[in-house]
Amino acid sequence: MNFTLPQATVDAREVDALILALTLASLAVLALVFGLMARYMVKYRAGSPIDRGKPPQKTWRLEISWTVATLAAFFGLFIWGADLYVRLFQPPANALQIYVVGKQWMWKVEHPGGQREINTLHIPIRQPVQLVMTSEDVIHDFSVPAFRIKHDVLPGRYETLWFTVEMAGVYHLFCTQLCGEGHASMIGQVVAMEPEEYERWLGGGAKGETFVEAGADVFRRHGCAGCHGDQGAGGIGPALAGLYGAQVKLTDGIVKADEAYLRDCIMTPQKRRVAGYPEIMPSFAGQIDEEHLLKLIAYIKSLK
Amino acid sequence: MKGAAVTVGIAAPQESYLTDGTTLKSWLFTTDHKRISLLYLATITFFFFIGGFAAALIRYNLILPEGVLDSPETYNKLFSLHGVVMVWFFLVPAVPVTLGNFLVPLMLGARDLAFPRLNLLSWYLFVLAGLVALYALVAGGVDTGWTFYTPLSSFYSNGHVVATVVAIFIAGFSSIATGLNFIISIHKLRAPGMTFYRMPVFLWSLYATSVILVLATPVLAMTLLLLAFERIFRIGVFDPAIGGDPLLFQHLFWFYSHPAVYVMILPGFGVISEIIPAFSSKQLFGYKFVVWASIAIAVISFLVWGHHMFVAGTSLYSALVFSILSYMVAVPSAIKVFNWIGTMHKGWIRFDAPMLYAIGFIGLFTIGGLTGLFVAALAADVHLTQTYFVVAHFHYVMVGGMVSAFFAGLHFWWPKITGRLYPEIWGRVAALIIFIGFNLTFAPQFLLGYLGMPRRYHSYAAEFQVLNVLSSAGATILAVGYLLPLAYLGWSLFYGRRAAANPWRATGLEWTTPSPPPTENFSTTPVVTGPPYQYPCTEAVRNE
Ligand code: HEM
Ligand SMILES: [Cu+2]
């Protein structure tokens, strides 16, 4: 029986420090509450001959001071938790992107090179990894306790999650959002390996087309080039080359072109109109499934 | 009785609301708030044990890593049933409809609630809701958890989602009616001389609770209606596959459900604020602070729903705002704990069963509140949310807190309600067993959650087994603890000694009328001449 949890990431150490601080603060308050209660229970029990004097009347000073003290302590904890949270969810630009699709009841993983796996995720250590995640049915939640990280995986949306693992090893992967009958079996493992080993692993297994090649296929099959030009060069519709990461001017504002934006443009083009183009792009909702969509987006991202 | 409340004339002890008509009809068509309160008491006790039975099966299943019950579907239905029944058919109504119904008019010095027939209707609605829920259970159950997250609940669940949701919808009307009845009664029916600041804290806390119920319940009702429409007619509200937004459901659901957790706990605060002064024989420390803390909690509770969605895919900024607001709501709760302890300072403390339950409440609620700080601290929540840590947190607040308070109140007012005393020694033994069993059940779950065990799993990794077995062992003790009061309180109904009007030497109008009270409560309208909690109360205590 082991009562410790591996700290496989930098974040894990920082989250543990926060939890430790919260625990110590709580224990201090508990000691105060239980201590005072126990003391009064003994000292002022009925029949105890102690002199009780006059009960204190003025309470304002006391009330204000413990309210302010509580507030100050809470504010400190808030800042600590918030600062760490913001860092937890800000991915660095150079992260290795891996795609994850949740489905009742399995995790489907696809690496940029086209390698696929189910309920297992191989990653290199000492290198930021960013998961781009979506669901084919209900809400799932991707959670790796050893990394102290989790995030919901929603149908119809992309959510991302990033981490840098420091310790090679095999870690639990859980789905933590109730997703139906097989919820408890929607588990797997994350295998964190030395980068060279990861490269070897990538080269090993059955390898199909790379992600980008497959995406190019989807692009051709659905006739995207008809408007956006071969290689996404532009034409009737806006140019796609160099689009990913750029600021796009919409009819009603400006957005950064991230995965979620690209997804929306393809599935619900009526929602986001790029300034200066006619409203003719059809929606591909129902025609391209999530896996192909991921590849298509990977292809668009590869167009420089 | 010094200063506080004065009543003149005592009705003949033999005639009480209990003897005023003995036919079934006289009970089922009564408009007497005291009888309705007993009808409710029977109903929610029934639901408490149904929910408890499901809990026992859940803990039983988790003794083995692979699960004892062979079907994950059955397990999902069990915890969904447990959640739905405990939240909507026990925690939300319990204190208001039983103790509240009985005591609001008595504490106000009134003859009855403002709308006695609406009160009876509320009970019928509640029973109807319960029957629909039981139908859903018998017909095959529901497997979405009590939170009904979409799109699982809209299209992927095979359970009886619509029937369950309709049951909660109807129960909502019952809540709203009770809430309105209390608000209007408190405004209109206070005895002469009873200003707002002369009201016992129990009334204030029911007032705050009722305001939340009236404002938040309609949001839940609409949300559940939309869910039912989506499931039946396939209109796209929440399911993205047909154009809906799954997070919209969570926003709407928690907009009700977070205030609702305060609906569950605020009446408990009220009960404790009556008991601690009575058994410390001292006035409540910081009365006005305790009162305004209740109001503050009611207001702020509407602003924190987003803290259930820190990893759900909402924006970073909204998470920051909801986190800091969550800390704000903890402040008034902390004020209350300090004031209760302050009340014990220099008191004359007696350890009868109600006081033991109340002290247990303070300890367990404090642990529940403090662990709330963990989940309100954003980065810590990312790790702890959706694990057993959250399960332990809300059970400390709602079961350790609210259920302890309910038991404290039930023992405290039992002589008033039934006219009988229960065997005191058994009351104390049960309070102790419950406290020990509770901690053994839920404390290990904090650690389980930190180690990463997800909630709502019917099977788990073998390394979590020791803590789970510990928790299940605790649950067995806890079950014994909860069965004991059923036995000795039931026993006291027939064999308990007769209670005097004021067996605890407590202040408050309800103690000035005989136990059990006559149908009309007071033979003459009481007049209030001073603030509440004028301890020490010197009124003579005589148990016949
Ligand atoms: C007054 C009594 C309280 C009650 C009745 C209560 C009840 C609950 C319940 C039922 C949940 C679980 C929701 C679920 O199914 O996921 C919960 C979660 C939570 N509570 Fe409390 N709570 C109380 C006090 C507090 C306090 C004082 C705080 C903050 C300082 C707090 C912060 C939270 C947070 C942030 C969550 C979300 C946890 C998560 O999803 O990870 N609660 N609470
Ligand atoms: Cu899942």
Side-chain angles (χ1 to χ4, degrees), chain A residues 105 107 138-141 175-179 183 186:
Chain A
W105 289 280
W107 295 106
V138 301
I139 302 177
H140 301 280
D141 187 302
C175 173
T176 54
Q177 183 66 265
L178 177 63
C179 58
H183 176 50
M186 197 164 158

Side-chain angles (χ1 to χ4, degrees), chain A residues 1-5 15-16 18-19 22-23 26 29-30 32-34 36-37 40-42 44-48 52-60 62-64 66-67 70-71 74-75 77-78 81-82 84-86 88-90 104 136-139 141 145 148-152 154-157 159 172 174-181 183-184 186-187, chain B residues 72-73 76 79 143-145 149-152 156 240 245-247 250 282-283 285-286 289 310-314 316 319-320 323-324 327-328 330-331 334-335 337-339 341 344-351 359 362-363 366-367 370 373-374 377-387 435 447 450-452 454-459 461 463-464 466-467:
Chain A
M1 186 65 206
N2 187 359
F3 289 129
T4 56
L5 183 61
V15 171
D16 276 2
L18 173 62
I19 291 179
L22 283 159
T23 308
S26 301
V29 176
L30 276 187
L32 185 73
V33 167
F34 278 86
L36 278 179
M37 275 205 305
Y40 293 168
M41 279 161 66
V42 174
Y44 301 116
R45 68 187 183 279
S48 110
R52 288 167 170 85
K54 272 214 175 69
Q57 284 301 330
K58 282 257 183 308
T59 57
W60 278 89
L62 204 55
E63 300 277 2
I64 299 286
W66 66 44
T67 308
T70 317
L71 257 178
F74 287 174
F75 195 67
L77 290 172
F78 162 73
L84 188 51
Y85 177 80
V86 171
L88 240 43
F89 288 110
Q90 298 286 325
Q104 284 179 327
E136 284 183 10
D137 37 49
V138 301
I139 302 177
D141 187 302
R148 310 291 187 277
I149 198 116
K150 66 166 66 72
H151 205 284
D152 277 8
L154 293 105
R157 281 171 66 155
E159 298 295 337
H172 281 303
F174 294 126
C175 173
T176 54
Q177 183 66 265
L178 177 63
C179 58
E181 194 181 330
H183 176 50
M186 197 164 158
I187 53 179
Chain B
E73 199 181 345
N76 290 1
F79 70 67
D143 57 356
T144 57
Y149 274 17
T150 54
L152 179 64
Y156 291 86
D245 177 359
L247 285 187
Q250 295 181 28
K282 216 171 133 265
Q283 77 175 27
F285 189 74
F289 278 87
F310 289 158
V311 299
T314 48
L316 211 61
L320 297 180
S323 169
I324 195 159
Y327 279 105
M328 293 299 155
V331 173
I335 292 181
V337 170
F338 290 132
N339 280 301
I341 297 177
M344 292 166 69
H345 182 58
K346 296 193 173 177
W348 179 265
I349 303 176
R350 290 169 292 158
F351 299 102
I359 290 170
I362 298 180
T366 305
I367 298 178
L370 286 168
L373 303 180
F374 287 61
L378 288 158
D381 180 71
V382 170
H383 175 53
L384 298 172
T385 187
Q386 301 294 357
T387 69
F435 186 82
L447 195 52
Y450 168 74
L451 294 175
R455 64 196 284 208
R456 297 171 168 180
Y457 265 32
H458 114 289
S459 56
E463 69 212 58
F464 300 131
V466 173
L467 289 169

Side-chain angles (χ1 to χ4, degrees), chain B residues 254 261-262 265 307 326 372 375 381 385 390 393-394 397-398 455:
Chain B
W254 288 116
V261 303
Y262 291 96
I265 199 71
H307 73 204
S326 300
V375 279
D381 180 71
T385 187
V390 176
H393 156 65
F394 70 73
V397 173
M398 301 201 302
R455 64 196 284 208

Side-chain angles (χ1 to χ4, degrees), chain B residues 13-14 22 86 105 134 176 198 277 300 317 410 441 455 528 533:
Chain B
Q14 279 345 352
T22 48
M86 284 305 201
L134 290 179
I176 295 174
R198 284 179 181 173
I300 309 173
Y317 301 103
L410 194 62
T441 309
R455 64 196 284 208
V528 178
Y533 311 113

Side-chain angles (χ1 to χ4, degrees), chain B residues 130-143:
Chain B
L131 290 178
V132 177
L134 290 179
Y135 159 77
L137 165 65
V138 175
V142 64
D143 57 356

